[in-house]
Amino acid sequence: MSVSGIGEIIAAILILLGTLMNVISAYGLIRLPDVYTRSHAGTKSATLGVLCTLIGTFVYFWTVNNFVSVRLILGIIFVFLTAPVAGHLISRAAYHSGVPMTETSVQDQLKEDMEKSKTKESSKSE
């Protein structure tokens, strides 16, 4: 088997895995109960799915066509850096806007951290 044949197989596996992760992410967006868990599904698994698809595409062009795409590399870096941060900021903005958590949530770590920071600020001002 040639290098391009192996590259095609690896690319196909990565693209298929990315597609599967995106389908799981879409299912999570539909089924999960509140904005926080939906954000989790929409960012982490979708990011992994997009990264697998882009890496599979990069491997395909690299091994089959001997073409290194700088655009794909930049796309991989951009998605890897921005999608989790955007999801975090959207969830944090929803929390500060007062969007309620689902009734099945058992822990509110951000509330505890905000209370600790408020007590630190009040002790510094005194």
Side-chain angles (χ1 to χ4, degrees), residues 84-97:
V85 173
H88 175 77
L89 291 177
I90 289 170
S91 294
R92 197 169 175 98
Y95 187 85
H96 287 291
S97 298

Side-chain angles (χ1 to χ4, degrees), residues 9-103:
I9 292 172
I10 292 172
I13 290 171
L14 284 171
I15 291 171
L16 187 63
L17 183 66
T19 303
L20 181 66
M21 292 302 296
N22 284 330
V23 169
I24 291 171
S25 176
Y27 184 73
L29 286 174
I30 294 169
R31 293 292 300 166
L32 291 175
D34 63 355
V35 68
Y36 306 106
T37 53
R38 287 181 185 157
S39 172
H40 183 77
T43 56
K44 291 185 175 51
S45 59
T47 301
L48 182 62
V50 170
L51 287 177
C52 284
T53 304
L54 289 176
I55 290 171
T57 306
F58 177 78
V59 167
Y60 176 79
F61 283 123
W62 185 29
T63 58
V64 174
N65 296 338
N66 292 328
F67 175 69
V68 175
S69 174
V70 176
R71 289 181 185 172
L72 282 174
I73 293 172
L74 291 175
I76 291 167
I77 292 170
F78 182 75
V79 169
F80 184 72
L81 292 177
T82 58
V85 173
H88 175 77
L89 291 177
I90 289 170
S91 294
R92 197 169 175 98
Y95 187 85
H96 287 291
S97 298
V99 176
M101 297 174 73
T102 183
E103 295 174 1

Side-chain angles (χ1 to χ4, degrees), residues 108-120:
D108 188 359
Q109 184 73 40
L110 187 57
K111 183 178 180 180
E112 296 169 7
D113 291 343
M114 289 175 61
E115 289 174 356
K116 287 179 185 176
S117 66
K118 283 183 182 177
T119 55
K120 285 182 181 178

